[in-house]
Amino acid sequence: MADLSVTLSEIEVKIRKLIALKNQLEEENGRLIRSNEDLQVEVEMLMAENAELKEKINKLVIINVLDNEKEVGESRQLIKALVKEIDNCVAMLNAEQ
């Protein structure tokens, strides 16, 4: 009978430990679930911010392309003017000879 009492006491101690462990795991699980939800919200916010930044980059690229086209046109005009001036100088040199 004493062995049975000791065995029951050991089982009771183990059950109490298991219950305590279960409670700890449930608390940890709750914390992890809340953390996961917070991280999901953060990911959604970052994805939205990423999309906005990509849109801004695309707009800036378009603006830069348009500005570069204007610069290229102005550069071509300047080069044409310089070539014309050089041609005039060469023609004047040829006329002097």
Side-chain angles (χ1 to χ4, degrees), residues 2-51:
D3 289 337
L4 183 59
S5 177
V6 171
T7 304
L8 286 175
S9 294
E10 290 173 357
I11 290 174
E12 185 178 344
V13 168
K14 289 180 181 179
I15 288 174
R16 289 184 194 275
K17 286 181 182 178
L18 287 173
I19 289 172
L21 180 61
K22 174 194 158 281
N23 290 337
Q24 287 177 345
L25 291 174
E26 284 178 344
E27 289 176 14
E28 183 180 2
N29 189 33
R31 283 192 305 270
L32 291 173
I33 287 171
R34 287 188 297 276
S35 176
N36 187 26
E37 290 169 352
D38 292 344
L39 290 173
Q40 286 177 347
V41 169
E42 186 177 351
V43 164
E44 290 173 5
M45 288 173 34
L46 290 173
M47 289 176 69
E49 183 179 351
N50 187 21

Side-chain angles (χ1 to χ4, degrees), residues 82-97:
L82 290 173
V83 168
K84 188 174 182 179
E85 187 175 335
I86 291 170
D87 286 342
N88 288 339
C89 291
V90 167
M92 287 171 53
L93 288 173
N94 287 338
E96 289 179 7
Q97 292 178 351

